[in-house]
Amino acid sequence: MRMTDPAPTRAAITARRIIEIVSHHTGVSVDAMKSPRRHTPLVNARHMATMLIRQYRPDLSYPQIGQMLGGRDHSTIIHGQRLIMDRLRRCPDLRECAEHAEFDVVYEALHVRDLVG
């Protein structure tokens, strides 16, 4: 599966859980992702989270995602989408991290319903 492919399922996973998964894989705390700081590791984690949220929770708008990540403007979220896609193409380590995070998101999206229901 490629990062640009549509989600394989209607995810039962929450945006909050996606942020937690990205936090785990990047080593950037959820609070740091929501902070106004703009250090590269924080920005990459934040953008990765927005990318996965847009992919697996297409029902959420850019303004809603921005609110979840520290009250950011919708245009900031859209710009971040473009930046992270470019960075993933250029940086194998970041791409690998994103792929591992996406794997966990897909796993939970597919199996959480089995565990709950």
Side-chain angles (χ1 to χ4, degrees), residues 4-101:
T4 57
D5 291 342
T9 181
R10 281 187 232 140
I13 193 164
T14 65
R16 177 176 290 153
R17 184 64 188 134
I18 293 171
I19 293 168
E20 291 169 353
I21 289 169
V22 170
S23 172
H24 170 76
H25 283 279
T26 61
V28 174
S29 74
V30 171
D31 287 339
M33 275 196 263
K34 294 178 181 182
S35 77
R37 290 180 290 175
R38 296 186 297 181
H39 301 287
T40 301
L42 297 175
V43 170
N44 285 338
R46 195 178 295 137
H47 291 171
M48 189 184 305
T50 62
M51 175 189 67
L52 291 172
I53 291 169
R54 284 296 297 169
Q55 188 171 359
Y56 290 93
R57 290 302 310 267
D59 57 308
L60 298 175
S61 67
Y62 288 114
Q64 288 172 315
I65 296 169
Q67 284 302 312
M68 287 180 229
L69 289 165
R72 286 173 168 71
D73 188 72
H74 75 282
S75 61
T76 302
I77 302 302
I78 293 168
H79 180 67
Q81 296 286 283
R82 293 182 187 127
L83 288 177
I84 195 67
M85 295 309 290
D86 183 53
R87 287 181 183 151
L88 290 173
R89 279 190 287 278
R90 291 185 289 119
C91 181
D93 291 339
L94 184 61
R95 183 174 50 246
E96 183 179 353
C97 179
E99 288 170 353
H100 287 278

Side-chain angles (χ1 to χ4, degrees), residues 7-14 17-18 21 56-57 102-115:
T9 181
R10 281 187 232 140
I13 193 164
T14 65
R17 184 64 188 134
I18 293 171
I21 289 169
Y56 290 93
R57 290 302 310 267
E102 183 179 21
F103 178 84
D104 284 354
V105 168
V106 170
Y107 180 83
E108 285 197 26
L110 291 172
H111 297 285
V112 165
R113 281 184 264 174
D114 294 339
L115 297 174

